[in-house]
Structures are given as C-alpha cells and as structure tokens.
Amino acid sequence: MEVEKIDDEIQQLLQAHKHTWNQTYNFINSMSLKCAIELGIPDIIHKHAQPIKLSQLISQLQIHPTKSHAVHRLMAILTHSGFFTQHKASQKDDEDDGGDPEVAYMLTDACKILVKDSPYSMVPYLLLSLDPIQMKPWQYLSTWFRNEVPTTYETAHGMAIWEYASKEGRLNSLFNNAMLSDSRLVSRVVIEKCKWVFEGLESVVDAGGGTGTLAKAIAQCFPNMECTVLDLPHVVAGLQGTTNLKFVEGDMFQAIPPADAVLLKSILHDWGEEECVKILKKCKEAISGNGKRSNKVIIIDIVIMEDQKGGEDDDELVETKLCLDMLMMVLANGKERKEKEWAKLFFSAGFRDYKINPILGLRSLIELYP
Ligand SMILES: C[S@@+](CC[C@H](N)C(=O)[O-])C[C@H]1O[C@@H](n2cnc3c(N)ncnc32)[C@H](O)[C@@H]1O
C-alpha cells in the first residue's frame, strides 16, 4: 500500500477513535456537574462574589481531606464545559500566601442558574434528570426496541412514569420540584415578554399544570382572571389556592374544566399522536362552552425548526432538542415535533388555525384557535 494511503487510513482511524471516545464519555460532563451541585460548589463561588482561589474553595467544601487533591480536576472539566471560568489569583494574594501562583474560579452565566438560592435555579431539574430512577431506563433502551412494552420507562420500572410518581413519594417530589423550577424560569419570560397572549381572557385552565407555578404567576399578573390548575391527585392534593386560583384533581383525558383558554405547558411532548389528539379534543370542548371568538389553547413546548419563520436552530439547540426527543421517547413514549407534525395534530383534533411564536428559547408559544 502506498505510504500516502496508509497515512490517510491511519488519520481516519484516529479521528474515529477520538470521536467515539468523546461521545462515549459525554455522560461524564453531566455527572461531574451533578457532583459539583451536590457539593455546593456554585453556591460557594457565588457567595464569595469574586474569583475564589482553589485553596479557598477547598477549605469551604465538606469533603474528606484525602480528596482535596481531586477538586481541581472536577473544576477543570466543568471549566471546559462552560460552567466556570479560570483566572490567575491576583499577584498580591500569591505574595501574601508566599506560595505558587494559584488558579481562581468564577461562575459563568450558565452556572448562575445552578446556584441553589437563585430565583431561577434549575438545580431541582438537573437533580431529577440525573437521579438514578430517571437514569435507569437508559440501560433498557435496546431491550425496549426488542419488546412490546410501550415505554422504556415501563421496561425498566414495570410501570409508566405517572403511576410510578403516584406510588413513589421521592420521585413525586423530585418531579414536582423539577417542574416547579422550569416553570419559575418560563413564567418570568412569559409574564415579561408574552403577557399579551392572556389579554382579554377571563379564565384559564392550566391542564397538567403541576403544582401551579405558572398558573400562580398568571393569577398574580391578572387578578381578575379565574385560574385553575388541573392535575393528577398525587400532584395537587392538599394544595391551597388563592382568591383567583384553584387546584382541581382530575384526568385531562376525561374532562378539562370549562374556560376561555387552556394552557398546556410541557404536556403534549409527553404523549404519542393518539393521546395528543384526545387531550386536544378535551381542550376544544373546554373552551367551546361560551362561544367567545377569543378563546384558544396556549401551548408551551418545543418546535423543531427546520428553516421556517423562526429560522434554523443552531448546533447546540439542535443537539438539545434531539436529546429531549430521545428523553420523551424513553420516559413516556412522547416526542418533540416539527411544525408539520404539530399542524397534523391540531387539524386532527378539529382546530382551524394556529400560530407559532418561537420566543421562549428552547420552546415556542403556540396559540391554537378552535
Ligand atoms: C412534564 S409535567 C408538566 C407540568 C407543568 N405543566 C409544567 O410545565 O411545569 C406533566 C404533568 O402532566 C401531569 N399529568 C400526567 N397525566 C395526566 C392526566 N391524565 N391528567 C392530568 N394531568 C396529568 C403530570 O402529573 C405532570 O404534572
């Protein structure tokens, strides 16, 4: 074989090797992040309010002294993945310590939402997603491809996620807290940027509204609007409403209380086509009672953009949406949808028109008209 051809083959082989290892070990980024959160590293750095030297960080961590040497390695991978920045500690500090120059760390913007007390903390979301209960089904994905069981989750746990959450208190609270954290962040954006979508409505039902974070924000912003949160008994039992917010235990496949609008946040991506059409038909019934033209369904969910109105997704967004699509498949037999797949659902459920507003970062706000 010519030398040049051998060189090309070797290069290809090494490139393939590198790519395979990179993808194989991707989970190390996630698990390192989880570890840093469990150790409280973002909280310590946030509290320090200026670059924190490695030794200062170590001194505040509740770790065994024999593990101190490993902290800079955890910080190195998380610096590389964009959660911390590394700085040289000021020369004065080094002189004062009489030691070698030391690195210091700060939080990046991405890490600021991983501080536990941050008003928009995503820590509960991350702790749910990386909990062993939620990670276990991934070990069963190929088994699921070969069996007849509807979801990978059921293959792993013997029951669907909603049933498991109703029986396993730890999962129920992990799940509800995770949804609360996501809804807290999304509520802020919805109220600041998309308030118009609720204007003129006198009543809204948040179907599958969890513990009511988004509905509470809407109820506060629109004190004259009647807001209702509908969810399964294990989610809403015992929750206290306010003058214009109430919690109702129920099943959205059976009935959704009547209102001017039904809100579905992160609901339809949990379900397959047939179930989505059933839910949407129940929404249509709920908003059709009073015959107002302004009535609608408001959906907050991912739309996979190809090259339409919202433009194409960038690489990070494409990868995140592909991951979420797999996540929905594994957890609940749901999926993330392209615009034409959404449209098919809407028209199958008897709606006449829709409008996609790609204004919520990862997600879009979709208005659906009966
Ligand atoms: C992914 S969570 C979304 C929660 C909330 N909308 C949010 O975004 O924070 C899905 C919710 O649907 C609820 N759910 C599942 N099946 C339901 C049903 N048949 N009827 C009503 N709610 C249901 C779950 O309990 C859960 O709270």
Side-chain angles (χ1 to χ4, degrees):
M1 216 187 247
E2 293 162 37
V3 178
E4 249 177 46
K5 211 168 162 208
I6 293 175
D7 280 353
D8 278 357
E9 273 190 19
I10 298 279
Q11 276 317 312
Q12 276 174 18
L13 209 53
L14 291 177
Q15 183 58 33
H17 190 214
K18 183 173 74 171
H19 183 64
T20 307
W21 277 33
N22 177 276
Q23 291 297 305
T24 304
Y25 293 122
N26 245 339
F27 75 93
I28 293 173
N29 285 311
S30 322
M31 296 316 285
S32 303
L33 190 57
K34 183 183 181 204
C35 169
I37 285 168
E38 287 172 340
L39 293 177
I41 293 177
D43 310 290
I44 293 171
I45 302 182
H46 174 70
K47 228 166 128 197
H48 197 73
Q50 54 178 299
I52 190 167
K53 290 203 281 178
L54 180 61
S55 55
Q56 292 171 318
L57 174 62
I58 292 170
S59 71
Q60 292 187 54
L61 289 173
Q62 288 177 358
I63 56 173
H64 195 275
T66 57
K67 308 294 157 51
S68 301
H69 69 92
V71 174
H72 80 277
R73 292 161 66 184
L74 179 64
M75 296 304 288
I77 191 164
L78 293 171
T79 298
H80 185 265
S81 59
F83 291 97
F84 302 110
T85 50
Q86 266 191 25
H87 306 260
K88 287 236 162 73
S90 79
Q91 238 176 356
K92 182 176 175 319
D93 284 350
D94 288 333
E95 279 161 19
D96 290 350
D97 294 352
D100 291 335
E102 207 183 335
V103 292
Y105 300 97
M106 281 180 77
L107 304 182
T108 60
D109 286 344
C111 204
K112 287 179 187 155
I113 57 167
L114 297 179
V115 171
K116 291 188 189 94
D117 298 339
S118 143
Y120 305 109
S121 176
M122 289 303 290
V123 167
Y125 194 89
L126 189 139
L127 293 181
L128 167 76
S129 304
L130 299 177
D131 189 88
I133 295 180
Q134 299 298 89
M135 299 285 280
K136 185 176 171 191
W138 293 98
Q139 302 291 344
Y140 293 79
L141 187 50
S142 58
T143 310
W144 172 75
F145 268 104
R146 294 194 182 100
N147 70 23
E148 282 183 350
V149 179
T151 62
T152 317
Y153 206 88
E154 282 161 276
T155 305
H157 290 300
M159 62 189 101
I161 184 166
W162 313 120
E163 190 187 347
Y164 197 23
S166 74
K167 294 192 164 138
E168 169 62 49
R170 197 177 81 82
L171 174 62
N172 189 30
S173 72
L174 270 175
F175 193 90
N176 293 337
N177 285 337
M179 292 308 126
L180 182 154
S181 68
D182 178 58
S183 284
R184 209 165 34 189
L185 189 147
V186 170
S187 295
R188 157 115 204 252
V189 186
V190 166
I191 297 298
E192 301 270 348
K193 295 272 181 200
C194 321
K195 220 167 123 182
W196 48 264
V197 81
F198 301 104
E199 255 139 36
L201 299 173
E202 289 174 35
S203 55
V204 168
V205 175
D206 190 358
T211 51
T213 307
L214 179 54
K216 275 182 209 156
I218 298 166
Q220 264 170 19
C221 186
F222 296 94
N224 295 323
M225 192 190 288
E226 284 303 317
C227 297
T228 304
V229 177
L230 171 78
D231 209 301
L232 297 170
H234 66 270
V235 178
V236 291
L239 295 181
Q240 289 301 312
T242 61
T243 42
N244 65 331
L245 171 76
K246 66 173 188 250
F247 289 93
V248 172
E249 297 178 16
D251 178 350
M252 63 193 164
F253 289 97
Q254 299 301 319
I256 296 177
D260 288 355
V262 176
L263 185 58
L264 296 171
K265 173 181 168 284
S266 303
I267 298 298
L268 296 176
H269 77 161
D270 292 339
W271 301 97
E273 268 55 34
E274 211 179 296
E275 289 95 351
C276 284
V277 171
K278 279 188 193 155
I279 296 170
L280 286 170
K281 284 185 172 166
K282 290 292 168 198
C283 292
K284 193 158 180 269
E285 277 172 34
I287 60 171
S288 299
N290 60 20
K292 286 192 208 160
R293 266 198 76 76
S294 55
N295 291 1
K296 57 187 164 185
V297 177
I298 301 165
I299 297 169
I300 296 176
D301 239 325
I302 284 179
V303 177
I304 297 178
M305 297 293 177
E306 287 172 302
D307 56 352
Q308 338 81 338
K309 302 157 204 166
E312 276 186 58
D313 290 336
D314 67 31
D315 258 8
E316 192 178 31
L317 211 47
V318 168
E319 190 174 2
T320 312
K321 289 181 178 181
L322 287 171
C323 285
L324 274 152
D325 183 49
M326 286 295 289
L327 183 68
M328 291 310 123
M329 183 173 94
V330 164
L331 295 186
N333 209 15
K335 68 184 293 194
E336 304 303 350
R337 297 179 167 88
K338 297 177 181 163
E339 176 168 358
K340 57 176 181 287
E341 296 173 299
W342 278 113
K344 195 166 165 225
L345 287 184
F346 300 154
F347 298 133
S348 304
F351 286 84
R352 91 187 135 79
D353 201 7
Y354 69 90
K355 183 165 180 240
I356 296 180
N357 306 284
I359 46 182
L360 294 173
L362 269 173
R363 279 168 282 199
S364 291
L365 185 135
I366 309 172
E367 292 167 277
L368 186 53
Y369 311 107

